[in-house]
Amino acid sequence: MKATIVTIGDEILIGQIVDTNSGFIAKSLDKIGVEINEMISISDDKKHIFDTFTALQNKVDLVIITGGLGPTKDDITKKTFCDYFEDELVVDQKVLAHVTQLIEGFYKRTITQINKDQALVPSKCTVLHNQVGTAPGMWMKKENTVFISLPGVPYEMKYLMEHEIIPKVVREYERPYIIHKTILTYGQGESLVAERIEDWENNLPVFIKLAYLPAPGRVRLRLSARGTDKNKLETALLENVNLLDAIIHDIIVGYDEDETIEVAVGKLLTQQNKTIATAESCTGGKIATLLSAVAGASNYFAGSVVSYSTQAKIDVLGIPESLIKEYSAVSKEVASAMALSIKKRMNTDYAIATTGNAGPTKGDSDAEIGTVFIAIATPKEVIVEEFNFGQPREKVIDRAVIKSLELVQKEILKNVQ
Amino acid sequence: MKATIVTIGDEILIGQIVDTNSGFIAKSLDKIGVEINEMISISDDKKHIFDTFTALQNKVDLVIITGGLGPTKDDITKKTFCDYFEDELVVDQKVLAHVTQLIEGFYKRTITQINKDQALVPSKCTVLHNQVGTAPGMWMKKENTVFISLPGVPYEMKYLMEHEIIPKVVREYERPYIIHKTILTYGQGESLVAERIEDWENNLPVFIKLAYLPAPGRVRLRLSARGTDKNKLETALLENVNLLDAIIHDIIVGYDEDETIEVAVGKLLTQQNKTIATAESCTGGKIATLLSAVAGASNYFAGSVVSYSTQAKIDVLGIPESLIKEYSAVSKEVASAMALSIKKRMNTDYAIATTGNAGPTKGDSDAEIGTVFIAIATPKEVIVEEFNFGQPREKVIDRAVIKSLELVQKEILKNVQ
């Protein structure tokens, strides 16, 4: 079963917003064995939309369209969608009741004609109920292809994927199995890893595909197995992962089914019944943001001090001014003191501290641009490492954040009973 | 001049990573008057890549390809790119010298054959020098279409766009003018705004296009003018913006050429020579992260306390336990005390505080899921507002972050001399 994801909207084509919807839809479909053939972003233009639908007709089984379902004039998706099926728009009473309830009941506003028009749908379509917004999803089949149109607002699209589309596809279509296994390595570059595992790679069975996903400081290896016999796929994956582990055991730090590092750290802390806090300078609160974005974070994440200015390090974290004068704000000693201070102040088991110079200018420290010290305080000790993450600013911040979470993960794993 | 952006990589099609490269490329090209026709993401498959190139041949002027230029086996882009032009790969001595210098000089590793192979390029291509990485960019023309292949690592792609491609396109091609003007409104929904400006919209000249960009709590109106006479476009845009301002003056909060709210707040603080700090509960440090991601933030951003747990509010921010007991952690009173406390501790002119319940469960507060109190401390006073941002968790956090920055922007504007 093959699908193409189509995103409609000039705001994407001029780079005003980044399309995150397609990634979410792809991941949801991939999990149930639907292969994504292409993702396409096109303009809010009737002919362009129509031509795209025509080109995909009978080429894929499923076309999922997002965007262009809002109430205003520039949204021509619904009209074009309806024309493509040579259908006419009619009022869906259930949608109208829901829109009225949302506008008058929840938002306490008088309903307008534009609001009411959101209840117009092609007469032959299957309406997908959008509990969290006013624009319904629409499911329509023409010959061998199902076209599904969804609103572009991310949480409305997500609601419809989770509650309507995935269950309906699972119920109505047979799909093969697609199983991914991702191996996390770190410390060696993509080319070095590739040379070490070349023989192993050449011996992989044809139904297993390998991809390298390099990121600053680490490489993820993704194995994808596809076929109809689930047991065979799982056995082959396991065998090959074991073979791989024997070759590069020294650099494998984990296996990841779809799990971000902050989720992995959160799970570890929950299992161990431990808590964490952060003291952040150059990372500006981004480690805290990631940790707290996970549902249930309040069970292990106490909080953070973002001591961006030197004065904040002194006043809020209580780092002695003399220490900063002697070693500078960007130093092993200050990083270590920050980690110990926040651990004590937040009364946690673990703490992360970062201090560095992300650039573009040197600021009030003498450290080279890209220099970052990361300190991890554990129940037993405090460790500090120095890095140079190069340039530009965004890369330095992102690498420091990921490296911090990886280091704390390593320390927690060491202390697991 | 029309362009299509092609992203190659299975990791995008299975939703493992979100493609942010296309948005950056689109924005860069749009600024110099190149129209983006489509964005396409395809798999690491030779036939798929070849077919896509063939379909775009002579249909657009420019095809920009990212991804699949790394050193490892799964990267077949370069080979396919070369085959498409019926060319052969040859070693580029300048690239080889650069790769050798990076690996041996900067990373202090022995160069491997895989590294050396990065210097292989099609013999007829124009090499685009990648100062910040090992994979060069490649520019090749076939009939009426230029194909440009770039590495997928975002900062390498950005370097090549900024230093090589944009200057070359500007030098070698004539382009029309595309001017955008975005009007920020807030407080009214998309449909209400649409009804108020319907007559104005119907009278827009044909070369000006209007788009609605709704986001939680606000609507941006984007006007795009396209043509060869720059003066005419600018005059018409100005006239129509003035007409619009007369109709919806009450909800217009700013004009934005591409500026995010954190950049706008940063500029205001810099102009006014004022400083800011944040005390964050439910937003988990995300306001601090946004503020500190802007280059030069150290001039006005002092830092933050992320008091995620109630104990942290007491211990680190010094909120009286009695106040929390009396009003609960999620209350007007606690938000206000947090803002005043962080302003004093960080010794700043302004402060933002957030406390709320982002869900999915109620946690240790009685507040409804979605409830957020935002307090803004100014040099003169402290104001607090209560919001309900609904569900799910990510929406609550994002809306609270944006609303906080909007509120502080409003307060700073009030105090401008």
Side-chain angles (χ1 to χ4, degrees):
Chain A
M1 189 171 192
K2 283 196 185 190
T4 292
I5 302 169
V6 178
T7 316
I8 298 174
D10 290 342
E11 65 277 19
I12 292 165
L13 291 181
I14 66 167
Q16 196 159 22
I17 67 163
V18 168
D19 168 34
T20 55
N21 284 352
S22 296
F24 181 88
I25 295 169
K27 194 180 264 187
S28 312
L29 292 175
D30 179 75
K31 269 190 195 146
I32 58 164
V34 177
E35 184 187 340
I36 312 302
N37 187 51
E38 277 188 13
M39 296 173 177
I40 312 176
S41 296
I42 60 173
S43 62
D44 289 310
D45 174 85
K46 183 157 183 161
K47 184 172 179 314
H48 202 166
I49 299 172
F50 209 95
D51 289 349
T52 304
F53 287 1
T54 309
L56 295 170
Q57 182 68 55
N58 299 332
K59 209 183 115 187
V60 291
D61 305 290
L62 207 60
V63 177
I64 300 200
I65 304 131
T66 65
L69 285 191
T72 54
K73 298 207 151 203
D74 62 319
D75 293 317
I76 50 166
T77 307
K78 188 155 70 178
K79 185 96 190 42
T80 310
F81 190 77
C82 185
D83 288 353
Y84 183 72
F85 296 101
E86 298 168 52
D87 198 357
E88 53 173 350
L89 292 171
V90 295
V91 173
D92 183 288
Q93 291 302 333
K94 213 182 135 207
V95 176
L96 184 61
H98 170 65
V99 171
T100 308
Q101 161 59 21
L102 256 186
I103 301 283
E104 299 191 336
F106 186 74
Y107 291 115
K108 313 282 184 208
R109 284 198 289 103
T110 311
I111 194 162
T112 68
Q113 187 55 43
I114 291 183
N115 295 138
K116 286 183 190 163
D117 287 349
Q118 299 234 264
L120 289 170
V121 296
S123 72
K124 295 172 212 149
C125 91
T126 303
V127 172
L128 308 171
H129 177 64
N130 178 3
Q131 178 62 31
V132 296
T134 50
M138 295 171 281
W139 172 300
M140 263 186 129
K141 192 166 179 177
K142 185 169 179 173
E143 297 161 20
N144 299 317
T145 305
V146 169
F147 292 80
I148 302 167
S149 177
L150 301 177
V153 180
Y155 62 89
E156 297 185 24
M157 174 281 300
K158 284 182 188 173
Y159 176 88
L160 282 160
M161 283 302 297
E162 281 167 5
H163 294 84
E164 297 284 334
I165 294 151
I166 296 297
K168 193 165 159 73
V169 172
V170 167
R171 260 192 330 264
E172 298 179 9
Y173 293 86
E174 283 201 9
R175 293 142 291 111
Y177 294 97
I178 302 180
I179 309 177
H180 302 289
K181 181 96 190 167
T182 303
I183 298 107
L184 313 173
T185 76
Y186 93 75
Q188 288 180 352
E190 186 180 2
S191 57
L192 205 58
V193 175
E195 296 217 328
R196 292 183 65 187
I197 66 175
E198 191 174 2
D199 287 344
W200 170 84
E201 185 177 350
N202 289 335
N203 287 318
L204 281 174
V206 288
F207 58 87
I208 298 185
K209 221 178 149 181
L210 170 70
Y212 291 81
L213 309 171
R218 64 216 164 97
V219 178
R220 288 183 296 167
L221 302 170
R222 191 192 59 236
L223 294 171
S224 304
R226 184 188 301 268
T228 49
D229 183 344
K230 197 179 174 192
N231 279 338
K232 183 183 157 198
L233 300 183
E234 281 175 348
T235 309
L237 267 181
L238 187 64
E239 270 172 23
N240 282 287
V241 168
N242 287 340
L243 289 172
L244 180 69
D245 186 83
I247 305 166
I248 52 165
H249 186 75
D250 55 316
I251 55 167
I252 292 181
V253 292
Y255 298 91
D256 148 45
E257 336 280 339
D258 218 19
E259 194 171 79
T260 58
I261 180 87
E262 63 271 20
V263 169
V265 168
K267 275 191 192 162
L268 266 177
L269 289 166
T270 306
Q271 282 162 12
Q272 300 292 314
N273 200 21
K274 302 289 183 197
T275 57
I276 194 166
T278 72
E280 305 186 42
S281 181
C282 62
T283 51
K286 194 159 188 178
I287 305 171
T289 302
L290 289 184
L291 285 170
S292 63
V294 179
S298 55
N299 294 324
Y300 52 82
F301 177 57
S304 175
V305 167
V306 182
S307 55
Y308 210 65
S309 67
T310 297
Q311 203 54 45
K313 290 186 181 73
I314 300 166
D315 294 346
V316 185
L317 278 178
I319 307 300
E321 195 169 354
S322 56
L323 194 78
I324 298 175
K325 280 218 171 119
E326 189 174 349
Y327 297 102
S328 102
V330 180
S331 65
K332 204 165 254 207
E333 290 75 13
V334 169
S336 173
M338 286 169 67
L340 290 171
S341 163
I342 195 72
K343 177 168 174 273
K344 191 167 167 219
R345 269 153 215 256
M346 295 276 183
N347 191 26
T348 56
D349 303 296
Y350 290 90
I352 299 171
T354 61
T355 180
N357 184 352
T361 58
K362 280 208 168 185
D364 54 354
S365 117
D366 281 338
E368 277 305 312
I369 293 169
T371 304
V372 178
F373 291 90
I374 300 174
I376 308 291
T378 74
K380 293 174 192 165
E381 61 186 335
V382 57
I383 57 150
V384 195
E385 286 197 41
E386 179 178 356
F387 299 92
N388 189 309
F389 294 132
Q391 290 193 45
R393 185 178 179 83
E394 58 177 301
K395 176 180 148 195
V396 176
I397 296 172
D398 284 348
R399 289 187 65 167
V401 166
I402 295 298
K403 182 56 80 176
S404 296
L405 291 167
E406 284 174 351
L407 287 177
V408 85
Q409 182 184 37
K410 221 166 115 182
E411 291 304 315
I412 303 169
L413 284 169
K414 271 190 204 163
N415 291 314
V416 165
Q417 309 307 325
Chain B
M1 191 174 190
K2 284 195 181 187
T4 293
I5 301 168
V6 177
T7 315
I8 299 175
D10 289 344
E11 64 277 19
I12 292 166
L13 291 181
I14 67 168
Q16 196 160 19
I17 67 163
V18 168
D19 168 33
T20 56
N21 284 351
S22 296
F24 181 88
I25 295 169
K27 194 180 265 189
S28 311
L29 291 176
D30 179 75
K31 269 191 196 146
I32 58 164
V34 177
E35 185 186 340
I36 313 302
N37 186 51
E38 275 188 15
M39 294 172 179
I40 311 176
S41 296
I42 60 174
S43 62
D44 289 309
D45 174 84
K46 184 159 182 156
K47 186 174 178 310
H48 202 165
I49 298 172
F50 210 95
D51 289 350
T52 304
F53 287 1
T54 309
L56 294 170
Q57 183 67 54
N58 299 332
K59 210 183 114 189
V60 290
D61 306 289
L62 207 60
V63 177
I64 299 198
I65 304 130
T66 65
L69 284 192
T72 53
K73 295 202 157 212
D74 62 317
D75 292 318
I76 50 165
T77 306
K78 189 155 71 178
K79 185 95 189 46
T80 311
F81 190 76
C82 186
D83 288 353
Y84 182 70
F85 296 101
E86 298 168 51
D87 199 358
E88 51 172 352
L89 292 172
V90 295
V91 173
D92 183 289
Q93 291 303 332
K94 212 182 135 204
V95 175
L96 184 60
H98 171 66
V99 171
T100 308
Q101 161 59 19
L102 256 186
I103 302 283
E104 300 193 334
F106 187 75
Y107 291 116
K108 312 281 182 207
R109 284 198 289 102
T110 311
I111 194 162
T112 67
Q113 188 56 45
I114 290 181
N115 295 138
K116 286 183 190 163
D117 288 349
Q118 298 233 263
L120 289 170
V121 297
S123 72
K124 294 173 212 148
C125 89
T126 303
V127 172
L128 306 171
H129 177 64
N130 178 3
Q131 179 61 32
V132 296
T134 51
M138 294 170 282
W139 172 299
M140 262 185 131
K141 191 164 180 179
K142 186 170 180 174
E143 295 161 21
N144 300 316
T145 305
V146 169
F147 292 80
I148 302 167
S149 176
L150 301 178
V153 179
Y155 62 87
E156 297 186 22
M157 173 281 299
K158 284 182 189 173
Y159 176 88
L160 283 160
M161 283 303 296
E162 282 168 6
H163 294 85
E164 298 284 335
I165 293 152
I166 296 298
K168 195 167 158 72
V169 171
V170 167
R171 260 192 327 265
E172 299 180 7
Y173 293 87
E174 283 202 9
R175 293 142 289 113
Y177 293 97
I178 303 179
I179 308 176
H180 302 289
K181 181 95 191 170
T182 303
I183 298 106
L184 314 173
T185 76
Y186 93 75
Q188 288 179 353
E190 185 180 1
S191 58
L192 206 57
V193 175
E195 295 218 327
R196 291 183 65 187
I197 67 174
E198 192 175 3
D199 287 343
W200 171 84
E201 186 177 349
N202 289 335
N203 286 318
L204 281 174
V206 288
F207 58 88
I208 297 184
K209 220 177 148 181
L210 170 72
Y212 291 80
L213 309 171
R218 66 218 160 95
V219 178
R220 287 183 298 165
L221 302 170
R222 190 192 60 236
L223 293 171
S224 305
R226 185 188 301 267
T228 50
D229 183 344
K230 198 180 173 191
N231 278 338
K232 184 183 158 196
L233 300 183
E234 281 176 347
T235 309
L237 267 180
L238 187 65
E239 270 173 24
N240 281 287
V241 168
N242 287 340
L243 288 172
L244 180 69
D245 186 82
I247 305 166
I248 53 166
H249 186 76
D250 56 315
I251 55 167
I252 292 181
V253 291
Y255 298 92
D256 146 47
E257 337 280 340
D258 220 19
E259 193 173 79
T260 58
I261 180 87
E262 63 273 20
V263 169
V265 167
K267 276 191 193 164
L268 266 177
L269 289 166
T270 306
Q271 281 161 12
Q272 301 292 313
N273 201 21
K274 302 289 182 197
T275 56
I276 193 166
T278 73
E280 306 185 43
S281 181
C282 62
T283 51
K286 195 161 188 178
I287 305 171
T289 302
L290 288 185
L291 285 170
S292 63
V294 179
S298 54
N299 294 323
Y300 52 82
F301 177 58
S304 175
V305 167
V306 183
S307 54
Y308 211 65
S309 67
T310 297
Q311 202 54 45
K313 290 186 182 72
I314 299 165
D315 293 346
V316 186
L317 277 177
I319 308 299
E321 195 169 354
S322 56
L323 193 79
I324 298 174
K325 281 216 169 118
E326 187 173 351
Y327 297 102
S328 103
V330 180
S331 65
K332 204 166 257 211
E333 290 74 13
V334 168
S336 173
M338 287 169 68
L340 289 171
S341 163
I342 195 70
K343 178 167 173 274
K344 189 164 167 224
R345 268 153 215 257
M346 294 276 184
N347 190 27
T348 57
D349 303 295
Y350 291 90
I352 299 171
T354 61
T355 181
N357 185 351
T361 58
K362 282 210 170 184
D364 53 356
S365 119
D366 282 339
E368 278 304 314
I369 293 169
T371 303
V372 178
F373 290 91
I374 300 174
I376 308 290
T378 75
K380 294 175 190 161
E381 60 186 336
V382 57
I383 58 151
V384 196
E385 287 196 40
E386 178 176 358
F387 299 91
N388 190 309
F389 294 131
Q391 289 194 47
R393 184 178 179 82
E394 60 178 299
K395 176 179 147 195
V396 176
I397 296 173
D398 283 347
R399 288 187 66 167
V401 167
I402 295 297
K403 183 55 83 180
S404 297
L405 290 168
E406 285 174 350
L407 287 177
V408 84
Q409 181 184 39
K410 221 167 113 183
E411 291 304 316
I412 302 170
L413 283 170
K414 271 192 205 163
N415 290 313
V416 165
Q417 309 307 325

